[in-house]
Amino acid sequence: MGFSKEMVIKAVKENGQNEGAVLDALLAYKTFEESPEDEHVLDDPCHAELASNVLDVYPDKEICENEEFKNLSTEKDRTVSLLVEMGYQAEEALAAIDRCSLDTPIAELVEFISAAQFAYHTDAQLGELSYDNKIHQHQKVCVLFLSELTCSSDLRFLNQLYTMFLIGFPKLNGPVYMSKKKRKFYDNEMRKLQKQRKYLEKQPMDHDNEIVHLPNPMVGFGVPNQPSPVLFQRRIPDEAEGRPYFYFENVALAPKGVWHTMSRFLYYIDPEFVDSKFFCAAARKRGYIHNLPIENRSQLLPTPPSTIHEALPHTKQYWPSWDKRMQLNCILTCIGSAKLTDRIKKAVEKSGDEPLPGVKKYVIQQCKKWNLIWVGKNKVAPLEPHEMEMLMGFPPNHTRGGGISRTEQYTVLGNAFQVDTVAYHLSVLKRMFPDGISVLSLFSGIGGAEVALHRLGIPLRNVVSVEISETCRKILQSWWDETNQQGKLIHFHDIRMVTAHELEKCMSTFGGFDLIIGGSPCNNLAGGNRSTRNGLEGSKSCLFFEYYRIIELVRSMMRHR
């Protein structure tokens, strides 16, 4: 029948010894004339999850052109500056960098400094105890920590704490060296602790504690028209309660331990995981950490379409009966190629009224992957930007015009908030701030948070927007002008350049912030990013710690106003 050796091997590998399935696959390959793997399309690093959005919006060129960034002469200066902004002493920051190296993630530098502070105060409290008694107390402290460990980050803290007891505390004149007798004693004690630590690291419980289990269905603390989940007792620590409220978003399917770490930095508040398919006709699995109330939420009206045919009625007449999709997958930052849509058209046409099972399988797979819709007889096409705007909850032409290319439209929409979902969570603010709200919008993008608040009817008195993409800043400013906002919109370009001084200037003008909102880049978190999916240590996703830095700064300054 003219099947190549490679095609036969591929079919057998995929279908085993089932002759019918192998023949069906071969016929499908023949229909497409070449193996599906030969298709080259614009890639998006989100396809493994189909519910993530990744975009490199921090180009080195823009950073390098920033004059303030040039003033930070070295990477060490920048790291020290960041730690000082977080409230640590410059001496502590320098000592931590010297001990841990400049490449150490900010989170571990913070843990190092915390361990040093704890060890220093513990040693001071022991006072004039004898040498042996003091050593014994050091060991008791470490064993106490060991008994309460829950995750590998706590293990790092213990290791750093014990190192402090072992070699001394960070000082400007360098480390404290010990006598041979003292070091020998400490070495023996450390071996005992390391045995206990190795045992603890092998326990499955430790790893499970770093995994935040996603609910199924992904309805968070409740969504409209769905059964209420069985709620645990939601705990908001005293230091995280009240104004300024904060709201953080990122992809739900992040690498192991990421959500645990982000929750730990954001006051140990449990994430709320929600799929936007309960709010619109497209899925979008996201996690949210916030200190907002969860009672008496309300949905935006009118409620958006919840199925493909409700949202895109022109597709219904062309939709084949064997395509059972009711909703689209996550809106991506890129689209399927013309070559792909042409190949699908030819394959379906060759198959007649009823395509072969192998053809159906491949077509459905590609339609799900690229959110292709049926726009004519045997014709599929990617979503248009205005269709994406509607699905994401933005007003018509929100990203159109003003020098914005179609490629840029796809990119910024794929990275945006789903407005209806976010508005549902923010709806509790309407009765709190009837006269208007002051917002610190971090990683603003195309203004999803601002659009949500506006659609809720909450006046935007002041918005400080931090967004590095010039395209996104243009779109937000254009929307602000077109909707005749009466408040004040202030732009900052790079979150790393937002200092305590700049924040104080803003707050002194309008009395502080009511809400801090944003979602840091998910470039190194999304499931489809196989090359640099290295979690919060990634060059883009590490900007989460800037979000944390800003929250700590603002809440600290507002407490002391």
Side-chain angles (χ1 to χ4, degrees):
M1 296 178 68
F3 300 125
S4 67
K5 178 181 178 182
E6 292 76 11
M7 194 177 290
V8 173
I9 293 173
K10 173 177 168 52
V12 171
K13 186 182 295 185
E14 289 184 353
N15 298 279
Q17 300 302 315
N18 187 326
E19 294 181 4
V22 170
L23 180 58
D24 184 49
L26 289 170
L27 291 171
Y29 296 160
K30 195 68 176 176
T31 301
F32 283 102
E33 296 180 346
E34 56 181 328
S35 176
E37 279 74 12
D38 293 335
E39 175 64 35
H40 297 286
V41 287
L42 181 60
D43 195 18
D44 185 295
C46 309
H47 291 141
E49 182 210 343
L50 285 176
S52 322
N53 56 327
V54 179
L55 169 66
D56 185 352
V57 293
Y58 287 84
D60 293 339
K61 184 177 179 182
E62 279 196 55
I63 296 173
C64 294
E65 288 175 355
N66 189 303
E67 290 301 321
E68 292 184 63
F69 189 81
K70 291 179 180 178
N71 293 335
L72 298 173
S73 57
T74 66
E75 182 69 17
K76 187 173 184 178
D77 292 336
R78 192 182 74 80
T79 304
V80 170
S81 177
L82 192 152
L83 289 167
V84 169
E85 290 282 356
M86 293 171 70
Y88 299 106
Q89 299 295 320
E91 293 84 356
E92 294 175 321
L94 286 166
I97 293 170
D98 289 342
R99 294 282 181 86
C100 300
S101 85
L102 189 56
D103 297 330
T104 302
I106 289 293
E108 292 187 26
L109 291 175
V110 168
E111 286 174 349
F112 181 93
I113 295 173
S114 299
Q117 291 173 339
F118 184 91
Y120 182 83
H121 291 303
T122 300
D123 203 59
Q125 289 173 6
L126 296 179
E128 299 300 323
L129 287 179
S130 68
Y131 172 73
D132 289 340
N133 282 340
K134 187 173 285 193
I135 289 176
H136 180 63
Q137 292 300 321
H138 285 173
Q139 184 190 18
K140 284 178 65 178
V141 169
C142 288
V143 171
L144 176 63
F145 267 94
L146 184 68
S147 67
E148 297 181 353
L149 294 183
T150 59
C151 62
S152 63
S153 60
D154 293 335
L155 284 168
R156 284 200 306 270
F157 181 86
L158 173 65
N159 187 49
Q160 290 161 347
L161 178 63
Y162 201 87
T163 302
M164 299 303 165
F165 289 147
L166 178 66
I167 64 173
F169 318 113
K171 293 186 177 180
L172 291 177
N173 59 353
V176 177
Y177 295 96
M178 297 184 293
S179 65
K180 290 182 179 179
K181 178 182 176 182
K182 186 177 180 182
R183 180 172 291 279
K184 182 178 179 181
F185 186 91
Y186 266 98
D187 286 344
N188 289 335
E189 295 302 319
M190 194 167 188
R191 288 191 197 99
K192 296 177 186 177
L193 280 176
Q194 285 175 334
K195 286 182 180 179
Q196 291 174 279
R197 233 181 68 183
K198 287 178 180 178
Y199 171 78
L200 191 64
E201 286 177 319
K202 292 178 181 178
Q203 303 309 302
M205 179 184 66
D206 299 332
H207 299 293
D208 289 344
N209 283 337
E210 288 203 22
I211 299 174
V212 177
H213 297 283
L214 302 180
N216 185 19
M218 200 175 286
V219 296
F221 304 140
V223 297
N225 307 316
Q226 292 293 318
S228 298
V230 178
L231 282 180
F232 54 88
Q233 187 64 37
R234 185 173 185 242
R235 187 183 68 87
I236 303 293
D238 293 343
E239 64 270 22
E241 285 189 338
R243 178 176 176 265
Y245 292 96
F246 61 86
Y247 185 88
F248 173 79
E249 178 259 17
N250 217 306
V251 294
L253 299 182
K256 172 187 160 186
V258 166
W259 277 105
H260 174 88
T261 299
M262 293 191 294
S263 173
R264 183 164 58 88
F265 273 83
L266 297 178
Y267 310 100
Y268 283 96
I269 295 175
D270 292 301
E272 178 174 14
F273 294 103
V274 179
D275 191 337
S276 291
K277 72 179 184 179
F278 297 108
F279 293 90
C280 66
R284 198 172 192 81
K285 296 174 183 174
R286 293 292 183 268
Y288 306 89
I289 298 177
H290 59 86
N291 64 343
L292 295 168
I294 60 175
E295 298 81 16
N296 302 315
R297 291 166 162 176
S298 58
Q299 193 173 9
L300 278 178
L301 296 175
T303 56
S306 60
T307 67
I308 296 173
H309 293 155
E310 289 174 358
L312 307 168
H314 61 281
T315 65
K316 191 173 183 178
Q317 60 181 312
Y318 305 114
W319 209 271
S321 59
W322 45 269
D323 186 344
K324 304 296 185 182
R325 288 178 295 157
M326 298 296 291
Q327 290 186 308
L328 295 165
N329 278 317
C330 179
I331 301 299
L332 302 176
T333 59
C334 52
I335 60 174
S337 70
K339 181 179 178 182
L340 173 63
T341 59
D342 183 57
R343 172 177 291 179
I344 290 174
K345 183 177 185 295
K346 290 177 179 177
V348 176
E349 285 176 343
K350 286 181 181 179
S351 299
D353 294 335
E354 187 67 21
L356 293 167
V359 174
K360 289 181 185 177
K361 180 181 177 182
Y362 175 70
V363 170
I364 294 298
Q365 181 186 55
Q366 295 303 312
C367 286
K368 287 181 176 180
K369 180 177 182 180
W370 295 104
N371 274 332
L372 302 176
I373 57 175
W374 297 91
V375 296
K377 186 178 180 181
N378 301 328
K379 285 172 58 178
V380 294
L383 293 166
E384 291 293 325
H386 72 273
E387 294 168 331
M388 287 187 177
E389 289 173 342
M390 178 268 297
L391 290 165
M392 296 294 285
F394 289 95
N397 299 318
H398 184 73
T399 61
R400 187 180 182 187
I404 312 300
S405 69
R406 280 173 60 85
T407 300
E408 288 174 318
Q409 284 183 276
Y410 287 123
T411 297
V412 298
L413 284 164
N415 281 297
F417 281 162
Q418 204 291 318
V419 171
D420 298 274
T421 309
V422 173
Y424 182 69
H425 296 156
L426 299 182
S427 62
V428 297
L429 297 172
K430 186 171 183 177
R431 59 185 175 274
M432 296 184 192
F433 304 102
D435 298 324
I437 191 169
S438 293
V439 180
L440 176 55
S441 178
L442 306 176
F443 312 103
S444 300
I446 58 175
E450 290 80 356
V451 172
L453 291 166
H454 175 69
R455 289 187 60 192
L456 285 166
I458 304 174
L460 297 169
R461 290 194 291 119
N462 302 282
V463 173
V464 175
S465 169
V466 184
E467 173 55 54
I468 201 166
S469 166
E470 183 181 359
T471 298
C472 291
R473 292 197 302 271
K474 283 181 182 179
I475 292 170
L476 176 57
Q477 185 66 58
S478 176
W479 171 84
W480 187 272
D481 296 337
E482 288 175 7
T483 51
N484 297 314
Q485 298 294 328
Q486 299 303 304
K488 188 174 184 180
L489 175 61
I490 301 170
H491 290 286
F492 284 95
H493 295 182
D494 191 338
I495 192 170
R496 289 167 289 194
M497 299 301 115
V498 178
T499 64
H501 175 67
E502 297 287 355
L503 292 170
E504 180 60 38
K505 280 200 305 184
C506 293
M507 289 191 288
S508 63
T509 303
F510 46 78
F513 295 103
D514 304 311
L515 173 68
I516 305 172
I517 189 167
S520 55
C522 63
N523 301 54
N524 311 115
L525 306 183
N529 189 351
R530 298 305 180 191
S531 57
T532 59
R533 194 181 186 228
N534 48 359
L536 293 175
E537 296 183 7
S539 60
K540 304 298 182 293
S541 294
C542 70
L543 291 170
F544 160 77
F545 297 107
E546 294 290 336
Y547 181 96
Y548 162 73
R549 174 180 71 88
I550 296 293
I551 281 186
E552 284 289 285
L553 272 175
V554 172
R555 292 184 70 85
S556 175
M557 288 189 287
M558 288 182 63
R559 280 196 298 266
H560 295 92
R561 287 182 68 83

